[in-house]
Amino acid sequence: MNTSLAFIVFLLWVVAITFSPLACGDGCSKEQTRALLEIRNSTNGFAFAGWDGRDCCLAPGIWCDVENGRVASIYLEGAPSNITWYPNVTLFILFDDLEELSLNNMQIGGGLEPFCQLKRLKRLSELYLDYNRLEGVIPSCLGMIENIQSISLSNNRLHGNLPPPMISKQSKIVIFDVANNQLEGVLSSYTFANTSSLEYLDLSNNLFQGNQLSFSTFANASRLYYLDLSNNEDLEIETESPSWVPTFQLRYLKLANCNLNKKNGHVFPSFISSQVVLDLLDLSHNLIEGSVPCQLLFNTSIEVLSLASNKIDGSLSFGCFANRTSLLGSFDISNNNVTSSLPENIGNLLPYLIHVDMSSNALEGIIPWSFGNLFGLQILDLSNNKLSGTIPQSLTRDGTRQLVYLNLSNNKLKGEMLPRDSNMTNLEFLQLSDNQFEGMLSPTISNSPNLVILDIRNNHLSGSIPKWLYDHPRLVAVLLSRNRFVGHLLRGMCGMKSLQVFDISDNLISGGIPSCLDNITFWKKNSPNSTDSNYFTAYDDFSTFGTQSYDENPNLCGIPLPRNCSTTNKLEPEHEDEKEETRIIDSPLFFYAFVVVSYAFGFWVFFGILIINKNWRHIYFRAVDRYIGSCFEMLSKYW
């Protein structure tokens, strides 16, 4: 019994030793505790908020090593934007066992030179200073931290050259991220002379340049999985020469706007065919020529593929793997020269598509019905092509209920504006301008309560602007210009409190403009800010709608137009909602008149034949006699 009790006590002691952060060490010293409190005070109480100043290992943003109970990681993030913090770096030097210092989005100002003191921390391996207000150059001393492996300085205001020791002489660096600064200078093979340990490199959105950076520089970076050199406009990257064999397997490759293979005719990088675990590939804005290699569309792992703004021509090779479906979720090949038609079974070949942008090409033929099989589709942009035919019903029914953005503008589409059973409940942006649609404004728009942008300019639509459109809850831009709409503007428009743009120019709208539209400052105040600014750049201040919104409607009058409304064409405010134009066919009187006329016509057609034709009359009467005789014979059985 005593032995069992002793064993239980021993187990409890082992558990306490294992899980107590201070069990094997002394925790923070008094000096370190004072340092944390001083850091908190320097951030106006944001850092380590809520900490009582006693056990530093329980302070938010502090992680202690369970083996010695000492501070191993300091993690602070998201300081209020109304402060600028100039940290006393010497306070962090007091934590001898510090392995990670992460101060992302802490509004840190000044330069990086004070952080050179961190080289006194022998165990520091990770330094993250992203999304701050750091300025000046990157000092080479940061690369001299003895065991540094990860340095991330993205989204600051840094400039100047990249110190070569940061990459070429520091063989232990695994992660290096300086994206979104204003760094400049020449990138060369020397800059990346020793990259055998490098796993993550992001130099995007800077001002780096170089006559030619050979991709073979990274050939021996066997651990490299993330590489982003995008948007360094003066940088030229060559992937085809000299010949080389990659030892890495990339998962993320971003080479947008990098002047790819300028000396080799802007060909597709051939080494990509060996990257079998690639999740994301961005080669946009590179003037790449030729057709799309089939393996890019049917790579066994690729999910995001962007080839926008190149010189890709020919047709897309969807048939190269007849029995394989693609894992692509996002496909952007906009602004190229892709021709031919889309395969009817595209929705089956690429079943996981969420984002599709094939705009600004030379696509012909009809919109494939199989797009309706993409149940996860959210964004579809086929604008600025040569597509014809009608919008398939499958695209606008329940199958694509996730669809948020649909842009079919500037094609040769015809027929009704939308299929009659359209039901796009999540749709926010609908752009059908510059086509050949006919008929009325589709009432199925009422099935899209989240619609923000409605753009149907330059079609052949007609009829009046229906009253239900004014009741739509979230519309911010309604663009109806260059159609054949008639009728009047109703006062219900004054209730569209989210509206910022309303364009009915070049129609046949008549009558007076509702006086409430003369002052719509409350609309501007209450309108959402999440709209596409491209819709509003051509319009005047949203204190009133400019005259361009109403131009070329010769029978429209009232402010802000120069035509004053006379008593003959001005609508009476109390009755104007009743004057919405309706078709005769929609009138109940028309229905009853149709029934009466049809009955009379059928009656006289039938009996007129009997009166005129003697033989038919005899046949009819004999049939009636037989029928009456049968009825009497049946009734006699029960009497």
Side-chain angles (χ1 to χ4, degrees), residues 144-169:
M144 299 176 186
I145 300 175
E146 187 172 337
N147 287 299
I148 195 69
Q149 295 182 19
S150 302
I151 297 179
S152 188
L153 306 172
S154 67
N155 296 279
N156 279 285
R157 304 168 183 172
L158 303 172
H159 62 269
N161 294 340
L162 181 67
M166 296 295 290
I167 299 294
S168 62
K169 295 182 181 180

Side-chain angles (χ1 to χ4, degrees), residues 304-324:
V304 179
L305 177 60
S306 179
L307 303 173
S309 299
N310 283 292
K311 292 186 176 180
I312 298 171
D313 54 20
S315 59
L316 297 176
S317 304
F318 287 104
C320 54
F321 292 108
N323 298 320
R324 184 185 299 178

Side-chain angles (χ1 to χ4, degrees), residues 488-625:
H488 309 297
L489 295 179
L490 306 182
R491 295 185 74 182
M493 183 180 172
C494 301
M496 302 176 73
K497 295 186 178 180
S498 295
L499 196 64
Q500 294 185 27
V501 172
F502 185 75
D503 188 354
I504 57 167
S505 58
D506 279 309
N507 279 284
L508 299 172
I509 305 296
S510 59
I513 298 174
S515 58
C516 62
L517 303 186
D518 187 33
N519 184 1
I520 57 169
T521 55
F522 65 98
W523 286 348
K524 182 178 180 181
K525 179 180 179 181
N526 295 327
S527 294
N529 295 320
S530 58
T531 54
D532 189 339
S533 60
N534 292 335
Y535 285 95
F536 311 108
T537 54
Y539 292 87
D540 294 333
D541 185 9
F542 300 120
S543 58
T544 186
F545 291 139
T547 58
Q548 71 271 27
S549 296
Y550 306 104
D551 279 348
E552 304 303 324
N553 287 284
N555 295 320
L556 191 63
C557 61
I559 298 175
L561 295 177
R563 294 184 294 274
N564 292 325
C565 293
S566 65
T567 56
T568 57
N569 62 13
K570 185 175 181 180
L571 293 177
E572 293 297 329
E574 61 271 19
H575 299 298
E576 63 183 24
D577 281 350
E578 301 174 1
K579 291 183 179 269
E580 181 178 5
E581 189 170 304
T582 58
R583 298 181 302 174
I584 295 178
I585 195 173
D586 295 326
S587 172
L589 181 62
F590 178 86
F591 172 76
Y592 294 119
F594 177 79
V595 172
V596 172
V597 171
S598 299
Y599 178 81
F601 179 76
F603 177 86
W604 284 111
V605 166
F606 178 76
F607 286 101
I609 293 176
L610 296 181
I611 294 172
I612 296 173
N613 193 307
K614 182 178 180 180
N615 292 332
W616 280 32
R617 187 165 61 250
H618 288 165
I619 294 172
Y620 173 74
F621 288 148
R622 284 198 295 269
V624 172
D625 289 340

